[in-house]
Amino acid sequence: RLPHLADLGVDAVWLTPFYASPQADGGYDVADYRAVDPLFGELSDADGLVREAHRLGLRVIVDIVPNHTSDQHAWFRAALADRHGGPARERYHFRPGRGESGQWPPNDWESVFG
């Protein structure tokens, strides 16, 4: 539908995260920044979309979320396996959980979007 957008005078398309993800947070929980989630096709599909958009004079804006990784991202798994203060853990902010055994999140903050 890119030709239709170009005909309407649109000059850019914004793509929300389409990276490989468990989709617990609408794709913002990225498991692999170098792969396309199967829900959205394959890397070649993304390449084709960008090529076609550029052919039609459309710019492509990709929502890159480098500070959002899922619990399935290789860096996060390495951080969990690393020792306290280890280099892999330095990529994340870890806080002790609440409750006797730390079984609850460290705070009761909620994300509310609307």
Side-chain angles (χ1 to χ4, degrees), residues 2 5 7 14 16 28-29 32 36 45 47 51 58 61-62 65 67 80 90 93 101 104 110:
L2 291 175
L5 294 175
D7 289 344
W14 182 300
T16 59
Y28 284 88
D29 51 325
D32 186 348
V36 171
D45 297 318
D47 288 341
R51 271 194 300 280
L58 298 169
I61 302 164
V62 178
V65 288
N67 59 332
L80 290 178
E90 291 298 314
H93 294 280
S101 306
W104 297 316
E110 294 182 22

Side-chain angles (χ1 to χ4, degrees), residues 8-106:
L8 289 172
V10 171
D11 62 359
V13 292
W14 182 300
L15 303 177
T16 59
F18 57 84
Y19 316 103
S21 167
Q23 298 298 324
D25 190 21
Y28 284 88
D29 51 325
V30 179
D32 186 348
Y33 290 95
R34 298 169 296 170
V36 171
D37 194 276
L39 287 171
F40 307 114
E42 300 176 353
L43 189 55
S44 61
D45 297 318
D47 288 341
L49 181 133
V50 170
R51 271 194 300 280
E52 178 66 4
H54 287 173
R55 186 185 72 73
L56 294 166
L58 298 169
R59 290 174 288 168
V60 178
I61 302 164
V62 178
D63 196 346
I64 300 173
V65 288
N67 59 332
H68 294 229
T69 59
S70 81
D71 59 351
Q72 295 179 20
H73 192 283
W75 284 4
F76 189 74
R77 289 183 173 189
L80 290 178
D82 201 3
R83 69 189 189 289
H84 181 72
R89 288 184 74 87
E90 291 298 314
R91 290 188 175 115
Y92 296 90
H93 294 280
F94 287 94
R95 299 291 179 260
R98 293 179 298 135
E100 263 184 51
S101 306
Q103 69 271 29
W104 297 316

